[in-house]
Amino acid sequence: MDPREPFFSVLTHEEFRGANLTPQARERFFRSGENHVQAVMDFVAAHIEPQFTASSVLEFGCGPGRLALAFARRFASVTAVDHSPAMLAKAREMAERAGLENIEFREELPPQKFDIVSCQLVLQRLPRREGLALLRRLLGSVGSVGIFHLPVRDRASSARKAVRWTRTHVPLANAAIHALRRSQFQRTTFYDLGEVLALVHEAGFDAPLVSLSDDGDFDAALVYVHRPRTHADEPAEIAAAASAGSTFIDVRELIARTSIEELNATAEGYFSSLTDWEHHLAKPFAKPDDAPAILANLAVLLQGLQLSPGLTVLDYGAGTGWLSRFVTQLGCRSILMDVSPSALRIAKETFAKIGIIGERPEPRFLVFDGHRIDLPDESVDRIVCFDAFHHAPNPAAIIAEFARVLRPGGIAGFAEPGPHHSKTPQSQFEMRTYGVLENDIDLPAIWHAAEAAGFTDLRVAAWNGKPFHTTLAGYEDLLARGATLRSYAESSREFMQHVRNFYLTKGGGTSEGDSRHPAGLLAEIVARVIDETHLEVTVTNVGQSTWLPSSEAVGGVSVSAHLYDEANVLRQFDFCRAPLSDVPLRPNDSATVTLELKPLPPGRYRMEFDCVAERVTWFTQVGSHTTFVRLAVTSGG
């Protein structure tokens, strides 16, 4: 490939030449990569493995990243290899523009195996012997699926074949033609498909699949190879469960033979048969051994959801409502949704008996049919799924429903198990004993469905819920980036194999925060004394968040004074408070108010002015500056 023409070298169309390349042409170039990856993954799903999952991809001969970027949007880790430093530099640039951080760029083929190995538009540029040698090496890197593109039949005219032969074998003639046409010549090597398939069989792949395509002057073959993953490729406890014998349940088969209505009936049968609610209602403190893991998981989930009072939160798979009680206590409007009416009945009775501290919005209870959420479009701000989404047999359809009911900018947060969840002993027990579905969480597939539904961002929480205790010396070594840090990283990696806490954000919202959150609250305050009982205060929003009107019960912004005596002793913290505005104050907006002071005994006082977001924070607590004025009172109160 010509590094001077990184895009044209891949797709030889005039719009991809550097001189002609527009932003629209660049977008079409990379969209073609998205379309190709979608097509090959559809082929894999249709002909090789219906619910194929992968975490690692090798894209060999990545060029400027046409396919590597597309793979990186679907899979957790991509290794992009190209022998050209210039091409790698361009691919890095394109990845940075796209905000993709999960691609490793290399000049040489790494030694490990990958779930997917892709080599497109590369082997045709190499002499046949070199191409077959490279194919043999790449086959050795295939952990599960390999996809290789090779030209197999030349359909060009005799004249074009003659020109191609001349440019390949007569350097001076090639130079002359290059000068005349101003086009870089690219070799096209044709392969004998029988020889290629023999090489594939030699590498241990028994049933390769071939898809033929018309590539202009020649026919090309996409050769798919598949190495079924064995239990040895999975964590030890999962492999043990899958090897248990004839009682092993394949979750895909369970989904295929069980309707959503049957699964709903199973859930209702379980909750309706409960005679003791104690375990469910005591969560997360039902068991000492379970509480730390649930609380850590809950903390990570709540951090990503960015809750604030007044938001409407849909609790998907709410069960008996323990999580919604906490969400309601935080001031949110909870909607508890479950396929089991009995579970919701228990939750409703529990809300009535236990109650919530303080004045909070009343919760709603919603029965779910497993298909459509009975809520209007764009009617909720957040969706929370705590160990519930993996029970859904139709995750793509549920994601589409989430996108429908979420408001623009809304977030759906998930705390779920990992990609091998169905094979664990506990999951096998649950499916075998109760008939409940314990599905695997396939993040790339979820993101593919989410992006199609209108979500614009997926973030995965990296965290460690396993205790990692060390000596004082070990802790200091960890802080110094020593060997203990590497041990902690390995402990975290092992933990994260089995959990998937992630957040989907719906597009169309604004990134601007408001005063229901403490972040971004900054004020500039100017105060002057009018007389002994009146002061004028001007407040300017110099932060990044909009201040809600003072009348808002949560997040409404007011100004207040702290009263100190002449010896600088605090006499009254919230001495006088005044509303700032009956409309929102955006960044750089100002408001001026007159404060009428309570009567004070004669004396000298200091008054410190600060702003407060009701039931959220005083501004000085998050880094804003206060203002002082001195006041002399002579007449007495």
Side-chain angles (χ1 to χ4, degrees):
M1 293 186 180
D2 184 357
R4 295 167 297 181
E5 290 286 357
F7 299 100
F8 183 75
S9 294
V10 177
L11 298 179
T12 52
H13 191 283
E14 286 301 314
E15 71 170 332
F16 300 132
R17 284 192 185 276
N20 304 330
L21 194 67
T22 63
Q24 293 77 18
R26 183 186 292 112
E27 193 279 333
R28 284 191 289 273
F29 178 87
F30 284 100
R31 176 56 58 184
S32 74
E34 296 282 351
N35 293 339
H36 175 83
V37 169
Q38 179 64 52
V40 297
M41 297 316 299
D42 286 346
F43 187 94
V44 170
H47 301 287
I48 296 177
E49 188 174 330
Q51 293 191 7
F52 176 75
T53 61
S55 59
S56 61
V57 178
L58 170 67
E59 173 59 20
F60 189 91
C62 68
R66 185 177 74 107
L67 301 184
L69 270 61
F71 277 120
R73 289 188 175 95
R74 293 177 63 105
F75 301 106
S77 173
V78 174
T79 299
V81 177
D82 202 290
H83 292 328
S84 167
M87 284 293 190
L88 289 176
K90 177 58 68 173
R92 284 193 187 95
E93 176 191 341
M94 294 298 102
E96 289 173 2
R97 285 191 185 189
L100 296 170
E101 301 176 351
N102 57 329
I103 308 177
E104 178 188 7
F105 297 96
R106 300 175 61 111
E107 291 186 34
E108 299 296 335
L109 180 65
Q112 71 264 30
K113 292 185 183 296
F114 297 85
D115 295 331
I116 298 174
V117 174
S118 170
C119 182
Q120 313 295 310
L121 306 178
V122 174
L123 298 171
Q124 66 196 59
R125 307 302 184 202
L126 301 176
R128 191 185 64 84
R129 181 175 296 180
E130 291 182 23
L132 292 174
L134 173 59
L135 178 59
R136 183 178 286 107
R137 290 182 63 200
L138 292 175
L139 288 167
S141 298
V142 176
S144 186
V145 169
I147 309 150
F148 305 99
H149 173 274
L150 309 100
V152 293
R153 188 165 74 92
D154 192 352
R155 292 191 290 102
S157 65
S158 299
R160 286 183 63 83
K161 289 179 182 178
V163 171
R164 189 189 299 147
W165 186 93
T166 301
R167 297 192 73 169
T168 302
H169 297 91
V170 184
L172 292 178
N174 178 47
I177 296 173
H178 173 64
L180 181 65
R181 295 186 176 179
R182 296 181 180 179
S183 63
Q184 183 72 27
F185 172 65
Q186 297 191 37
R187 163 199 305 272
T188 301
T189 298
F190 293 90
Y191 292 84
D192 179 86
L193 190 55
E195 185 178 18
V196 168
L197 295 180
L199 185 63
V200 167
H201 285 291
E202 179 186 314
F205 297 95
D206 294 330
L209 297 175
V210 178
S211 173
L212 296 176
S213 63
D214 178 355
D215 284 19
D217 283 347
F218 59 85
D219 291 332
L222 270 181
V223 179
Y224 293 80
V225 301
H226 181 220
R227 190 191 309 278
R229 284 174 282 197
T230 66
H231 301 322
D233 300 321
E234 300 167 345
E237 69 276 14
I238 293 173
S243 301
S246 59
T247 59
F248 178 77
I249 296 175
D250 186 325
V251 71
R252 294 168 297 184
E253 295 177 0
L254 180 59
I255 292 172
R257 68 173 185 263
T258 311
S259 70
I260 291 176
E261 288 68 29
E262 287 172 320
L263 291 170
N264 294 350
T266 297
E268 168 61 13
Y270 169 75
F271 283 106
S272 64
S273 68
L274 290 178
T275 57
D276 183 357
W277 303 350
E278 178 182 329
H279 171 78
H280 293 276
L281 302 185
K283 289 179 69 174
F285 300 105
K287 293 182 179 180
D289 289 342
D290 293 343
I294 295 175
L295 290 171
N297 216 350
L298 180 60
V300 172
L301 181 63
L302 292 179
Q303 284 175 333
L305 280 170
Q306 303 172 31
L307 297 180
S308 60
L311 294 184
T312 299
V313 180
L314 174 65
D315 185 354
Y316 173 86
T320 53
W322 69 273
L323 176 53
S324 280
R325 293 207 310 276
F326 296 149
V327 171
T328 301
Q329 186 65 64
L330 291 172
C332 298
R333 298 182 180 90
S334 296
I335 302 175
L336 289 75
M337 186 177 74
D338 203 279
V339 299
S340 168
S342 292
L344 295 177
R345 176 178 57 81
I346 296 170
K348 191 171 186 177
E349 291 184 21
T350 303
F351 263 91
K353 289 179 180 178
I354 298 178
I356 298 294
I357 300 171
E359 186 177 342
R360 299 291 188 272
E362 287 293 322
R364 291 176 56 191
F365 302 87
L366 183 66
V367 177
F368 181 46
D369 66 4
H371 298 278
R372 189 181 189 279
I373 299 173
D374 189 17
L375 290 173
D377 295 355
E378 299 184 2
S379 57
V380 303
D381 301 290
R382 300 288 187 269
I383 297 174
V384 57
C385 300
F386 192 98
D387 264 347
F389 190 69
H390 68 275
H391 295 310
N394 53 341
I398 300 300
I399 289 291
E401 277 295 280
F402 286 176
R404 181 182 66 80
V405 302
L406 269 175
R407 294 190 176 100
I411 301 172
F414 303 76
E416 297 292 334
H420 301 293
H421 174 68
S422 70
K423 303 181 184 71
T424 63
Q426 181 65 31
S427 294
Q428 287 289 307
F429 171 80
E430 298 283 348
M431 290 190 288
R432 187 166 52 250
T433 306
Y434 303 115
V436 66
L437 179 65
E438 298 290 342
N439 207 352
D440 301 319
I441 293 297
D442 180 355
L443 270 190
I446 288 172
W447 172 235
H448 181 65
E451 194 173 24
F455 288 98
T456 55
D457 188 43
L458 181 148
R459 297 285 163 166
V460 187
W463 63 293
N464 189 357
K466 294 171 59 178
F468 187 87
H469 300 161
T470 184
T471 63
L472 177 59
Y475 191 77
E476 296 293 338
D477 180 64
L478 183 149
L479 296 179
R481 300 187 178 93
T484 310
L485 178 60
R486 292 190 291 275
S487 297
Y488 177 72
E490 178 56 31
S491 171
S492 301
R493 188 199 67 80
E494 176 60 29
F495 171 78
M496 286 185 285
Q497 296 280 352
H498 309 292
V499 300
R500 294 296 185 271
N501 282 35
F502 60 99
Y503 311 90
L504 295 170
T505 302
K506 184 177 177 180
T510 174
S511 59
E512 183 183 271
D514 61 42
S515 52
R516 288 174 296 179
H517 298 278
L521 296 180
L522 291 174
E524 183 179 89
I525 305 173
V526 177
R528 70 179 185 89
V529 177
I530 299 176
D531 54 39
E532 291 185 355
T533 56
H534 295 85
L535 293 94
E536 181 183 82
V537 182
T538 298
V539 181
T540 302
N541 181 349
V542 294
Q544 300 175 345
S545 297
T546 294
W547 299 352
L548 298 182
S550 302
S551 58
E552 290 289 333
V554 178
V557 176
S558 303
V559 64
S560 180
H562 313 319
L563 180 67
Y564 295 83
D565 63 17
E566 190 172 14
N568 206 31
V569 175
L570 179 65
R571 292 302 183 184
Q572 188 172 341
F573 181 78
D574 197 3
F575 176 62
C576 61
R577 185 181 297 202
L580 270 180
S581 174
D582 57 2
V583 296
L585 294 177
R586 300 178 64 84
N588 300 317
D589 287 350
S590 298
T592 299
V593 298
T594 299
L595 273 72
E596 183 174 357
L597 304 182
K598 302 173 187 177
L600 289 169
R604 295 182 179 276
Y605 300 91
R606 292 178 74 240
M607 302 188 71
E608 181 185 17
F609 289 91
D610 193 6
C611 288
V612 57
E614 299 294 339
R615 289 176 54 187
V616 178
T617 186
W618 290 86
F619 280 31
T620 189
Q621 292 177 303
V622 291
S624 189
H625 294 295
T626 58
T627 293
F628 287 89
V629 297
R630 295 187 180 277
L631 178 69
V633 178
T634 58
S635 58

